[in-house]
Amino acid sequence: MSSAPIGRGRRWCIFLVGLLESLLFGGTIFGWAQLAYVLKEQGIFSHLCNATSTSRASSDVDVSFKGCAEQDETFAFIYTIACTVYSTPGILLGYMLHHLGLAVTRVSGGLMLTSGFLCLGQVSKESPNWLYPAMILLSLGGNQLRMSGLQFGNLFPRYRSTAISLISGVFSASAGLFFFLQLAVDAGISLRHANWVLAGMASLTLPLTVMMPCHHIPYNDDAAAEKSDRENVGLPLRTSFLSLSSFTYQLWFFVNLFSIVLFNTFFNSWISSISSTVDEAWVFSSLFSVAAFVSPFISPLPGIAMDLLKKRKLEGLSSTERRIQEMRSPALPSLVQTGLVAVLYTCLFFESAAAVYLALVCLMLARPSVIAIGNSFVRARFPGDHFHRLIGIYGTIVSVLTILQYPHFLWAQQDYNGAQGFIIAMLIVSSAQPLHLLSDTYLRKVVHMEQTTLSDETTVPLSEVCEKKPEVVRSSADPPQPA
């Protein structure tokens, strides 16, 4: 167990390293629209168009720019696999972090990322199937690195929601990594050599692991905790997972993330149908990456909003009221997030440049926020020692359900309006998650359950408590708390 206090300088170094890694590699696969554009230019799977779409094959420019339905379906299938694999092992990863620790998880993720970029460098018109292992390894490695960094929010207990939101949200900027890959290819650098550079950058995660605690970032007390150790309330994991908050959160998280993933899937074919020239399609594709680059500036906003909502007008409130305010703080950001995703997805119904620009603005705001808000909600609503396991379980459930992406793509090929309208309806239903946090009766029952469990824990002999509870450590950089 990692129990030594972490100094201020070391805390900042660890956090900044985790932030940079998440920024570069945490969600690389979500830049699929940009990568698909590069792959089409390279002629990857273009033989499908030559075999089945001879009318289009008459012009190499048209094939590389417009592609064909068979090529788009193959790319959609590969992207579905990548998205499904991204968090499917999440439940195992949560337990891996909980039991094996931070170092093992980071090293495993770094090796997968490095191997993934090496495989992507092997992709060519003659050997397109290297794309399958490349995307799988990039998915697995990116998610492991992202989840490893979530506990870095414990480094700053007074601003935990902001820290978690920041490190959770910046991963969406990694979707813009393939924009630089496109620039490199356009500059005459081969796809193989460009990916060798990316593989070298990913391998740096291995030596940087040395500066971090081997097992976990120690929990830190907070003056606002009101002496109640919410890191270890004593509730079983099953109680948290089977709660109303858990069910509504799973629905909200899946529908919002699934909608963004579907938008990425349709984006390339959408702009191809709108664009009249290759240059116009290039502009739309580049703006997709620009939206990703802006996300680091957006990602802390949900956490800042939740910290402000949680801390406003605390004077004179009882510990119960403070706890209710903390749990209720994600409600407004969650509702705004759902509205942004609904507007984003609605833009797919319109074939105009204005719709593309509006969609990219919504994507810029929504993509970094869905993970940031979700993680901060789980951290605020449930005990701290449930965090990694719950995030892992939710990730696995969402990833398994993400396999529905490919059937939805095929459905949209036959009934576009019906398939896309169904997603809009599901977004409306997912609003049950933020709305249930407005129930004062429900939240008081939650607080009563936590306080009752804490009271029961005080009757347990001290020796047993020490055996069961992870050590709570106050960083030497934290100010002393009043008795």
Side-chain angles (χ1 to χ4, degrees):
M1 298 288 286
S2 303
S3 57
I6 300 177
R8 183 184 299 273
R10 188 182 172 200
R11 282 194 294 169
W12 274 105
C13 286
I14 292 173
F15 185 77
L16 291 176
V17 166
L19 198 67
L20 182 61
E21 290 174 345
S22 186
L23 184 76
L24 292 174
F25 305 117
T28 307
I29 64 162
F30 297 112
W32 175 257
Q34 191 77 50
L35 179 61
Y37 185 89
V38 175
L39 295 175
K40 280 188 176 183
E41 285 188 326
Q42 296 288 309
I44 308 302
F45 294 116
S46 61
H47 66 279
L48 299 175
C49 299
N50 295 331
T52 61
S53 304
T54 55
S55 61
R56 274 191 169 174
S58 59
S59 169
D60 290 338
V61 175
D62 285 342
V63 170
S64 63
F65 165 44
K66 295 289 187 181
C68 61
E70 291 76 12
Q71 187 184 31
D72 287 340
E73 286 181 12
T74 302
F75 282 143
F77 180 67
I78 294 174
Y79 185 49
T80 299
I81 293 174
C83 291
T84 302
V85 168
Y86 183 73
S87 296
T88 298
I91 185 172
L92 300 178
L93 185 55
Y95 280 89
M96 185 177 182
L97 280 164
H98 190 73
H99 294 291
L100 299 183
L102 181 63
V104 173
T105 308
R106 281 178 52 83
V107 169
S108 174
L111 290 173
M112 288 181 181
L113 275 172
T114 304
S115 302
F117 284 119
L118 292 175
C119 288
L120 187 58
Q122 295 296 111
V123 175
S124 66
K125 191 173 181 178
E126 294 74 27
S127 304
N129 289 328
W130 278 101
L131 190 58
Y132 287 92
M135 296 308 296
I136 290 172
L137 288 169
L138 290 177
S139 296
L140 291 171
N143 188 46
Q144 283 196 208
L145 207 62
R146 180 186 66 83
M147 281 195 65
S148 297
L150 294 181
Q151 61 183 283
F152 293 171
N154 288 331
L155 293 167
F156 306 101
R158 292 181 179 274
Y159 304 98
R160 185 177 281 120
S161 291
T162 301
I164 291 177
S165 294
L166 181 59
I167 206 164
S168 298
V170 296
F171 91 100
S172 63
S174 61
L177 188 67
F178 291 132
F179 175 70
F180 293 104
L181 183 65
Q182 179 184 347
L183 293 180
V185 172
D186 289 346
I189 301 174
S190 69
L191 188 65
R192 174 176 298 183
H193 292 159
N195 277 287
W196 283 359
V197 174
L198 294 177
M201 292 169 58
S203 67
L204 294 177
T205 61
L206 308 181
L208 288 172
T209 301
V210 176
M211 74 165 64
M212 302 177 186
C214 184
H215 196 276
H216 74 282
I217 302 296
Y219 295 131
N220 293 278
D221 274 335
D222 187 5
E226 294 290 336
K227 301 180 185 178
S228 63
D229 182 12
R230 208 176 63 76
E231 306 299 340
N232 303 280
V233 169
L235 291 173
L237 181 67
R238 180 182 178 183
T239 301
S240 293
F241 179 67
L242 296 180
S243 65
L244 174 64
S245 292
S246 180
F247 283 119
T248 56
Y249 170 72
Q250 287 177 77
L251 174 66
W252 179 88
F253 184 59
F254 166 68
V255 173
N256 279 264
L257 190 59
F258 188 62
S259 300
I260 294 174
V261 169
L262 284 176
F263 178 83
N264 292 344
T265 305
F266 287 105
F267 185 78
N268 187 264
S269 57
W270 183 42
I271 63 172
S272 295
S273 65
I274 294 173
S275 305
S276 55
T277 64
V278 176
D279 290 339
E280 188 177 9
W282 188 91
V283 170
F284 289 147
S285 181
S286 300
L287 289 175
F288 180 89
S289 295
V290 171
F293 299 146
V294 177
S295 65
F297 302 99
I298 304 298
S299 59
L301 297 182
I304 293 173
M306 281 183 273
D307 279 333
L308 291 176
L309 291 169
K310 179 175 64 177
K311 294 177 180 179
R312 66 175 185 176
K313 299 179 181 179
L314 289 179
E315 294 183 7
L317 295 181
S318 64
S319 59
T320 297
E321 295 296 334
R322 292 190 180 199
R323 179 72 183 104
I324 288 175
Q325 191 157 304
E326 179 185 12
M327 290 189 290
R328 186 171 286 159
S329 61
L332 181 58
S334 299
L335 197 59
V336 172
Q337 166 72 19
T338 303
L340 284 171
V341 176
V343 173
L344 165 73
Y345 209 79
T346 302
C347 288
L348 289 174
F349 287 97
F350 302 93
E351 294 192 355
S352 67
V356 176
Y357 297 137
L358 176 59
L360 289 175
V361 171
C362 292
L363 182 66
M364 177 182 67
L365 297 172
R367 183 164 54 186
S369 299
V370 62
I371 301 291
I373 293 172
N375 289 340
S376 295
F377 167 77
V378 175
R379 189 63 181 81
R381 170 62 181 82
F382 302 110
D385 62 345
H386 292 178
F387 180 68
H388 280 119
R389 286 173 289 175
L390 285 176
I391 291 294
I393 292 170
Y394 296 146
T396 296
I397 292 172
V398 168
S399 286
V400 170
L401 293 176
T402 302
I403 202 170
L404 297 173
Q405 173 186 337
Y406 187 64
H408 181 273
F409 181 85
L410 297 180
W411 179 16
Q413 297 290 83
Q414 305 298 322
D415 180 15
Y416 188 83
N417 290 337
Q420 308 298 45
F422 176 77
I423 299 300
I424 301 295
M426 290 301 297
L427 282 166
I428 295 174
V429 173
S430 72
S431 299
Q433 190 271 338
L435 293 178
H436 97 282
L437 295 174
L438 302 181
S439 172
D440 214 51
T441 302
Y442 173 72
L443 295 183
R444 287 184 181 279
K445 287 181 179 179
V446 172
V447 177
H448 177 71
M449 182 184 299
E450 291 178 352
Q451 292 175 342
T452 301
T453 308
L454 276 172
S455 299
D456 292 343
E457 289 253 318
T458 59
T459 63
V460 180
L462 181 61
S463 58
E464 294 184 21
V465 174
C466 292
E467 291 176 3
K468 294 180 180 179
K469 295 174 63 179
E471 186 175 356
V472 179
V473 179
R474 187 186 320 284
S475 170
S476 58
D478 287 333
Q481 307 298 314

